[in-house]
Amino acid sequence: MKALGIINFEDNTAIIEGLGEERPIPAIAFLARYRIIDFVLSNMTNSGIDNVQVYCKEKPRNLIEHLGTGSHYNINSKRGKLRILYGEKSFSSPVYNHDIANFMLNMQYIEEDTNPYVVVAPSYFIYSLDYNEVLKQHIDTGADITMLYTNTSEAKTSFLGCDVVTVDKEKNITAIDKNRGNTKTKSVSLECYVMSKKLFIELVKKAAATSSLYWFKDILKDSVGELDIKGYPIRGFVECINSLEQYYKISMALRDRGTANGLFKPGWPIYTQTNDSSPSLYVEGSSVKGSVVGNGAVIEGTVINSIISRNVTIKKGAVVKDSIVLQDSYIGENAKLDHVVVDKYAIIHHVKELKGTAEEPVYVKRRDRI
Amino acid sequence: MRPNTMAAMILAGGRGTRLLDLTKKVAKPAVHFGGKYRIIDFPLSNCANSGISTVGVLTQYESVLLNAYVAKDQFWGLDTNDGGVYVLTPREKDQTGFDVFRGTADAITQNIDFLDSVAPEYVLILSGDHIYKMNYDKMLQYHKESQADATIAVLEVSLKEASRFGIMNCDENDVIYEFEEKPKKPKSTLASMGIYIFTYKTLRKYLIADDKNPDSHHDFGKDIIPAYLNDNRKLCAYRFKGYWKDVGTVDSLWESNMDLLKHNNELDLGDPTWKIYTEDVNALPQYIGEDAEIENSYITQGSVVLGSVKNSVLGTNCQIGKGAVVVDSVIQPGAKIGEGAKVTRCIVADDVEIAPGAICGSADSGEIELVAKKYVE
């Protein structure tokens, strides 16, 4: 595919309490063995995009460690390249640390790439899609920009704060607005744009010249009516992880095999970094039901409708219900967790009961000892 | 650059006939073990963890899959600049015809040119069909300290078992004075594990002499070790303590898998300081259904469990259908157990599909049943 992949970061309205304070959203662990960025990056490499730039808003360590050279995402080590880029100069200020500032600071790497097209997409929208189909429509229609959207009837509870688009019968985007959660049915923009690299660079420079606070989505909104912007609808599984509640809700929904089949499709592998964990041991006396379990776990207690990540220990008498337990955590004897998100390396030992709700799950901090 | 004083040579050419249909299309070292591993992952990971960078793998029987597998040296972190995994198969050579490896020693003799090019001071001979974790570097230190010409790793076995092994008779300093292959009346209980460290220069001479001997079996145990002893070379026994199992039969492969079910078992595959590495598969995490019943089992990535699993090991991408009951069994990667099927005391081979409602094996069978045919009715 003759396109440069640009994995953009989400704007400041996406806040995943707790989990998102420790690392950038793309690096958050997801569904027992993945990270959020695995989905968009796998979409790109599966589509044959071999040159990918990942823009990192903050705390790059996590992301650098997870992505490495990109070889585990099937990026050709000679012909392809994965670059992790961040705006060293804009890190310190959340207001000025937007995507345009980062693109401008790394403009030479965008300009020197030889691909005629760009596919820009953030990582916090989760779906499986072959971008070749989008590029094909883009070329066939002769549009200036083709943007992905999905129709939802859940706009009151999901995709809050996301861009919504008005699409006419010819799939022209005629307006871009925000989802304020006041209407059920909306067409949500996935913030994924296909265009010529030339136009992309022009728009980035124009945004920078217009306002020092402009994001790419702002200049795009300004361009409605001026440019020929077409929509590309995607159906099936699409979700946006932009809050802890959404993170929890989407994770839990994917415990269902049928739902998961909409995301994990045959011939479309979702890559991630291997951990060389052993299989998981379900010890005598344990009970596990309705759950997703990563490798390396040792389960002695009871797990119901939960997500257990790699190398988690659940001791005797512990009951983990409707909860998400991240990598290397330890749930001590007789602890009772109900609607809890336990971050990595946490130890729950002395406090025996934690209870949250689906709307407000209790969050246990990384490396916390309770 | 790391010092490259010891090269490892893994003998992986055998068929493993006693594994029956499990080795019909793959060599024994490529047989799956413990849900996600292949047997050869153990010596390869041990090499990587022991700081050995050059590993030759000698393959012969049904070697296509095995050759492709071990060639991916990045799986074990062996893709370093100063080493790697080298696939060594029988080949046609100048002046001599094409010949298969005639024995364990011959496999090394035929690759003397390879070893010469690596020019190691020591050679570690391993077999590709044992399950164990061992630090070969410690054994090398022992070999150097005792100034031996060869060091053989030994394991203390019971007197009853001793007649099944090659037994090393040693003096009080663990210097070997006699080697007996499967003795009827064993004088010692130190069994050879088939792990040897040789000082390469000396070994090279013996291999060349052995090659010219028309009466030789070209075997380390039968020919090379006795020749060393005849010449009063110093052979030392290196005592190994820990889990070690030859998984040469369906029963022993099953048993070794069952050993993983013991909590805090000796092999401890979860030990972060001595990981066993293997192929990285892109499978989903384990999905455990709402009505699943799991008791004392070892389950890996990609498995979907909707039925009941008890005292069993499930491999990568296994599917256990609704109402299926799997007891005391090893389900190899990709196998599917249909709805309501009952599997008891079986090894279900890779990718085998068991029809809904089928019954395989029984609780009171003496031997473990190997289910290797697809669509068992």
Side-chain angles (χ1 to χ4, degrees), chain B residues 326-338:
Chain B
V326 176
V327 183
D328 299 334
S329 293
V330 177
I331 312 298
Q332 296 285 54
K336 291 189 178 113
I337 314 298

PDB file of all heavy atoms in Angstrom, chain B residues 326-338:
ATOM      1  N   VAL B 326     -13.190 -33.497  29.496  1.00  0.00           N
ATOM      2  CA  VAL B 326     -11.804 -33.902  29.264  1.00  0.00           C
ATOM      3  C   VAL B 326     -11.168 -34.179  30.620  1.00  0.00           C
ATOM      4  O   VAL B 326     -11.118 -33.302  31.478  1.00  0.00           O
ATOM      5  CB  VAL B 326     -11.033 -32.782  28.523  1.00  0.00           C
ATOM      6  CG1 VAL B 326      -9.569 -33.153  28.374  1.00  0.00           C
ATOM      7  CG2 VAL B 326     -11.667 -32.509  27.167  1.00  0.00           C
ATOM      8  N   VAL B 327     -10.726 -35.402  30.810  1.00  0.00           N
ATOM      9  CA  VAL B 327     -10.157 -35.793  32.100  1.00  0.00           C
ATOM     10  C   VAL B 327      -8.804 -36.457  31.892  1.00  0.00           C
ATOM     11  O   VAL B 327      -8.644 -37.279  30.979  1.00  0.00           O
ATOM     12  CB  VAL B 327     -11.103 -36.776  32.844  1.00  0.00           C
ATOM     13  CG1 VAL B 327     -10.541 -37.127  34.225  1.00  0.00           C
ATOM     14  CG2 VAL B 327     -12.488 -36.190  32.983  1.00  0.00           C
ATOM     15  N   ASP B 328      -7.830 -36.123  32.717  1.00  0.00           N
ATOM     16  CA  ASP B 328      -6.505 -36.766  32.708  1.00  0.00           C
ATOM     17  C   ASP B 328      -5.927 -36.863  31.297  1.00  0.00           C
ATOM     18  O   ASP B 328      -5.403 -37.919  30.911  1.00  0.00           O
ATOM     19  CB  ASP B 328      -6.586 -38.177  33.314  1.00  0.00           C
ATOM     20  CG  ASP B 328      -7.048 -38.161  34.765  1.00  0.00           C
ATOM     21  OD1 ASP B 328      -6.831 -37.138  35.430  1.00  0.00           O
ATOM     22  OD2 ASP B 328      -7.628 -39.167  35.214  1.00  0.00           O
ATOM     23  N   SER B 329      -6.015 -35.799  30.519  1.00  0.00           N
ATOM     24  CA  SER B 329      -5.593 -35.892  29.124  1.00  0.00           C
ATOM     25  C   SER B 329      -4.704 -34.721  28.715  1.00  0.00           C
ATOM     26  O   SER B 329      -4.657 -33.696  29.396  1.00  0.00           O
ATOM     27  CB  SER B 329      -6.825 -35.926  28.205  1.00  0.00           C
ATOM     28  OG  SER B 329      -7.542 -37.119  28.412  1.00  0.00           O
ATOM     29  N   VAL B 330      -4.011 -34.941  27.612  1.00  0.00           N
ATOM     30  CA  VAL B 330      -3.194 -33.889  27.020  1.00  0.00           C
ATOM     31  C   VAL B 330      -3.792 -33.577  25.656  1.00  0.00           C
ATOM     32  O   VAL B 330      -3.860 -34.446  24.794  1.00  0.00           O
ATOM     33  CB  VAL B 330      -1.731 -34.345  26.857  1.00  0.00           C
ATOM     34  CG1 VAL B 330      -0.900 -33.280  26.162  1.00  0.00           C
ATOM     35  CG2 VAL B 330      -1.127 -34.699  28.212  1.00  0.00           C
ATOM     36  N   ILE B 331      -4.264 -32.358  25.475  1.00  0.00           N
ATOM     37  CA  ILE B 331      -4.852 -31.979  24.199  1.00  0.00           C
ATOM     38  C   ILE B 331      -3.811 -31.113  23.487  1.00  0.00           C
ATOM     39  O   ILE B 331      -3.500 -30.007  23.926  1.00  0.00           O
ATOM     40  CB  ILE B 331      -6.167 -31.184  24.397  1.00  0.00           C
ATOM     41  CG1 ILE B 331      -7.090 -31.886  25.409  1.00  0.00           C
ATOM     42  CG2 ILE B 331      -6.873 -30.994  23.063  1.00  0.00           C
ATOM     43  CD1 ILE B 331      -7.547 -33.258  25.032  1.00  0.00           C
ATOM     44  N   GLN B 332      -3.267 -31.611  22.400  1.00  0.00           N
ATOM     45  CA  GLN B 332      -2.203 -30.899  21.695  1.00  0.00           C
ATOM     46  C   GLN B 332      -2.783 -29.713  20.908  1.00  0.00           C
ATOM     47  O   GLN B 332      -3.987 -29.659  20.649  1.00  0.00           O
ATOM     48  CB  GLN B 332      -1.454 -31.860  20.761  1.00  0.00           C
ATOM     49  CG  GLN B 332      -0.711 -32.986  21.494  1.00  0.00           C
ATOM     50  CD  GLN B 332       0.563 -32.537  22.197  1.00  0.00           C
ATOM     51  OE1 GLN B 332       0.561 -31.609  22.993  1.00  0.00           O
ATOM     52  NE2 GLN B 332       1.670 -33.198  21.917  1.00  0.00           N
ATOM     53  N   PRO B 333      -1.940 -28.754  20.531  1.00  0.00           N
ATOM     54  CA  PRO B 333      -2.422 -27.529  19.894  1.00  0.00           C
ATOM     55  C   PRO B 333      -3.370 -27.751  18.710  1.00  0.00           C
ATOM     56  O   PRO B 333      -3.163 -28.651  17.908  1.00  0.00           O
ATOM     57  CB  PRO B 333      -1.122 -26.866  19.437  1.00  0.00           C
ATOM     58  CG  PRO B 333      -0.125 -27.302  20.437  1.00  0.00           C
ATOM     59  CD  PRO B 333      -0.496 -28.707  20.792  1.00  0.00           C
ATOM     60  N   GLY B 334      -4.377 -26.928  18.653  1.00  0.00           N
ATOM     61  CA  GLY B 334      -5.291 -26.931  17.518  1.00  0.00           C
ATOM     62  C   GLY B 334      -6.348 -28.019  17.531  1.00  0.00           C
ATOM     63  O   GLY B 334      -7.204 -28.062  16.657  1.00  0.00           O
ATOM     64  N   ALA B 335      -6.307 -28.899  18.532  1.00  0.00           N
ATOM     65  CA  ALA B 335      -7.298 -29.985  18.562  1.00  0.00           C
ATOM     66  C   ALA B 335      -8.652 -29.438  19.006  1.00  0.00           C
ATOM     67  O   ALA B 335      -8.731 -28.477  19.766  1.00  0.00           O
ATOM     68  CB  ALA B 335      -6.835 -31.091  19.492  1.00  0.00           C
ATOM     69  N   LYS B 336      -9.705 -30.069  18.491  1.00  0.00           N
ATOM     70  CA  LYS B 336     -11.064 -29.638  18.838  1.00  0.00           C
ATOM     71  C   LYS B 336     -11.831 -30.819  19.414  1.00  0.00           C
ATOM     72  O   LYS B 336     -11.935 -31.861  18.777  1.00  0.00           O
ATOM     73  CB  LYS B 336     -11.794 -29.137  17.588  1.00  0.00           C
ATOM     74  CG  LYS B 336     -11.238 -27.841  17.054  1.00  0.00           C
ATOM     75  CD  LYS B 336     -12.150 -27.289  15.963  1.00  0.00           C
ATOM     76  CE  LYS B 336     -11.601 -25.964  15.472  1.00  0.00           C
ATOM     77  NZ  LYS B 336     -11.128 -26.004  14.095  1.00  0.00           N
ATOM     78  N   ILE B 337     -12.385 -30.624  20.581  1.00  0.00           N
ATOM     79  CA  ILE B 337     -13.186 -31.676  21.200  1.00  0.00           C
ATOM     80  C   ILE B 337     -14.645 -31.256  21.046  1.00  0.00           C
ATOM     81  O   ILE B 337     -15.062 -30.229  21.589  1.00  0.00           O
ATOM     82  CB  ILE B 337     -12.834 -31.848  22.697  1.00  0.00           C
ATOM     83  CG1 ILE B 337     -11.310 -31.879  22.913  1.00  0.00           C
ATOM     84  CG2 ILE B 337     -13.515 -33.082  23.273  1.00  0.00           C
ATOM     85  CD1 ILE B 337     -10.565 -32.998  22.267  1.00  0.00           C
ATOM     86  N   GLY B 338     -15.398 -32.042  20.293  1.00  0.00           N
ATOM     87  CA  GLY B 338     -16.775 -31.683  19.971  1.00  0.00           C
ATOM     88  C   GLY B 338     -17.691 -31.697  21.186  1.00  0.00           C
ATOM     89  O   GLY B 338     -17.352 -32.251  22.242  1.00  0.00           O
TER      90      GLY B 338
END
